[in-house]
Amino acid sequence: MMNFTAIDFETATGARDSACSVAVVTIRAGALVDSYYTLIQPPANRYSYFNTKIHGLTEADTADAADFAGIWPELEAKLAGQLVVAHNAKFDMSVLRSCLARCGLQAPAFSYCDTVAIARRVWPNLANHKLGTVGAYQNAP
């Protein structure tokens, strides 16, 4: 039973620095001990098809949300020193780093792993999207 923190970003446009929400869960000895979710005000002019059609968010939904720099102190406290797991860590970690760079902030020291990369060790043809991953797990021997 490993201890880890799982993170998932959604973006407003698909651009790496346009995060519009983040979810974090912390697992200790196999049990959920903490969770965090917030909407993020994307950079100006980042509302698009991704927000309205895919995420179901409108500009009004994030009108009162903090920008990335505003949520960073709380998010950093949850990630620092943790093993961070993401479904697609290559994407989620690049979103995190791009948002930090845009705000002139520095990433904390943490290790991360990519669940897609791990799953591909078992299923080499696994598609790099959530439905493909779920489907492969459901058909696991």
Side-chain angles (χ1 to χ4, degrees), residues 110-121:
F110 56 78
S111 300
Y112 67 89
C113 64
D114 186 332
T115 59
V116 172
I118 293 169
R120 280 187 171 151
R121 297 296 299 267

Side-chain angles (χ1 to χ4, degrees), residues 2 15 33 49 51 54 61 64 74 97 102 107 128 131 136:
M2 291 183 64
V33 298
Y49 176 86
N51 263 31
I54 296 178
D61 292 323
D64 297 327
E74 187 173 4
R97 290 190 175 102
R102 175 170 49 82
N128 186 5
L131 291 178

Side-chain angles (χ1 to χ4, degrees), residues 3 16 39 99 123 139:
N3 297 329
R16 289 290 198 263
L39 293 173
C99 288
W123 301 290
N139 294 323

Side-chain angles (χ1 to χ4, degrees), residues 14-114:
R16 289 290 198 263
D17 68 343
S18 68
C20 62
S21 71
V22 61
V24 181
V25 296
T26 302
I27 307 296
R28 296 286 175 266
L32 175 67
V33 298
D34 188 27
S35 64
Y36 172 80
Y37 174 80
T38 189
L39 293 173
I40 304 166
Q41 179 66 55
N45 303 315
R46 288 292 175 90
Y47 285 88
S48 71
Y49 176 86
F50 280 84
N51 263 31
T52 59
K53 301 297 184 186
I54 296 178
H55 304 318
L57 295 172
T58 66
E59 192 161 359
D61 292 323
T62 56
D64 297 327
D67 62 14
F68 190 84
I71 71 159
W72 178 241
E74 187 173 4
L75 185 55
E76 180 180 29
K78 294 185 179 297
L79 299 180
Q82 303 298 315
L83 170 63
V84 178
V85 176
H87 168 76
N88 181 353
K90 183 176 180 182
F91 178 77
D92 286 313
M93 295 304 110
S94 68
V95 169
L96 175 59
R97 290 190 175 102
S98 293
C99 288
L100 289 169
R102 175 170 49 82
C103 297
L105 299 167
Q106 179 104 12
F110 56 78
S111 300
Y112 67 89
C113 64
D114 186 332

